Amino acid sequence: MNQSPAPPDESSGEFAFTKQAKKPSAKSILKQPVMIAAILLFIGVAVLVLYLETGGIISDLPEIEVTYTLLPNAGKTDGVPIAIKLNEIAVFVINDPLEGGGGAARARSIVDSLQESITILKEEPGKIITLDEDDKFPAIVQQAKDGTQRRLLVKLTQEDLTLAGESNPKRLARVWAERLTDAVKLIAFGEAPEYSTGTEFGDAISTLYAAARATGGSVSEGSLEEAFDILNDSQKLVLETVPSLEGIEESVPSDDAIESGATFR
């Protein structure tokens, strides 16, 4: 007597080709829980890879443009006082010599160096900004944490001190490095300023950061623009010009005090 074949044992893990007689639609496939889980997993992995490669989730932060602005010459030096700015924020005033007919040659060199430095800080995690105090007039440099890959950003001159009304070159270099670092932290990375706290500049840039967070929930190009607009006139003036050094502590920190590798990620 003929016997009909036994029904397939679905618990055995074997595949019955008859189940593929009718191909499921793409829409039905996408609705399957396994497929939804796979898609979510793929998105999660992609986000993780992006985070690891960039050091964080990409946000709508503005590009930093380093520029220089000629200031009125009060006759303190034989050169021209020039403000070095990161977008709207002035970080320091340098003296640019007139001799040689270069026409702001020092300012242009510093602008190019800082612009390249910011690109490196954004693309290569672990870089720091620090001071080189081996000479009479200190320099602000960028380097890896182990001291390699050193790049000169700006070296102070006696005329820079004269313009600032400062006699201590190490103190002026520290102030410049603090302002530069905090401006980069805020604009390039959306991070809270931390090195210039307790100064006019530090209070103003911290207010800008807080206002940007309050305006947009996070720091972005749009929230920074809105935050800058709602600052009062004195706060804008402090950020758009270079405030005096009065009230800044006289003490000079160690060489690694201006270290930003932990936050430039």
Side-chain angles (χ1 to χ4, degrees):
M1 184 177 67
N2 294 332
Q3 295 182 348
S4 59
D9 182 1
E10 295 190 1
S11 63
S12 66
E14 295 179 359
F15 295 96
F17 292 104
T18 55
K19 291 185 178 180
Q20 295 186 12
K22 184 179 180 180
K23 299 288 184 181
S25 66
K27 185 175 181 180
S28 65
I29 292 175
L30 291 176
K31 286 184 177 180
Q32 294 178 8
V34 173
M35 183 59 67
I36 293 174
I39 293 173
L40 292 177
L41 178 60
F42 174 80
I43 294 173
V45 171
V47 170
L48 178 60
V49 170
L50 178 64
Y51 183 90
L52 293 175
E53 289 184 349
T54 63
I57 301 301
I58 295 176
S59 59
D60 185 25
L61 290 169
E63 292 295 325
I64 294 184
E65 182 182 8
V66 186
T67 59
Y68 68 88
T69 303
L70 276 66
L71 302 178
N73 193 338
K76 293 183 178 180
T77 69
D78 293 334
V80 179
I82 296 180
I84 304 298
K85 306 182 73 172
L86 275 59
N87 293 359
E88 299 93 345
I89 299 176
V91 288
F92 42 75
V93 172
I94 65 165
N95 175 77
D96 210 320
L98 289 174
E99 63 267 17
R106 185 186 181 211
R108 291 198 304 271
S109 175
I110 291 173
V111 164
D112 291 343
S113 180
L114 289 177
Q115 192 74 66
E116 185 176 355
S117 169
I118 291 168
T119 299
I120 293 173
L121 289 171
K122 293 171 68 174
E123 294 179 354
E124 301 178 20
K127 294 292 188 296
I128 65 172
I129 291 175
T130 188
L131 302 179
D132 182 347
E133 300 176 339
D134 289 342
D135 296 333
K136 177 182 178 182
F137 296 106
I140 301 174
V141 298
Q142 173 190 288
Q143 64 183 41
K145 285 190 175 182
D146 60 5
T148 62
Q149 304 176 48
R150 175 167 286 205
R151 298 182 71 256
L152 173 66
L153 303 183
V154 55
K155 184 175 179 62
L156 275 68
T157 67
Q158 178 58 57
E159 289 76 16
D160 295 334
L161 273 73
T162 301
L163 285 177
E166 175 59 48
S167 59
N168 186 337
K170 291 184 179 181
R171 179 172 181 246
L172 183 60
R174 173 174 63 89
V175 172
W176 283 14
E178 289 174 346
R179 291 174 179 168
L180 172 63
T181 302
D182 278 349
V184 174
K185 280 170 60 66
L186 174 60
I187 303 173
F189 299 97
E191 297 177 354
E194 60 178 302
Y195 295 106
S196 57
T197 55
T199 67
E200 278 188 302
F201 181 88
D203 292 343
I205 198 170
S206 294
T207 300
L208 179 64
Y209 169 77
R213 291 290 303 272
T215 300
S218 62
V219 177
S220 67
E221 183 172 9
S223 69
L224 277 175
E225 290 176 355
E226 292 184 38
F228 200 87
D229 288 340
I230 65 177
L231 294 179
N232 61 44
D233 290 341
S234 62
Q235 291 168 332
K236 290 179 182 178
L237 183 64
V238 167
L239 293 178
E240 291 177 328
T241 61
V242 176
S244 68
L245 303 185
E246 295 179 5
I248 298 177
E249 295 180 1
E250 291 285 351
S251 60
V252 178
S254 60
D255 290 347
D256 60 354
I258 311 299
E259 182 170 304
S260 48
T263 53
F264 287 151
R265 52 183 184 270

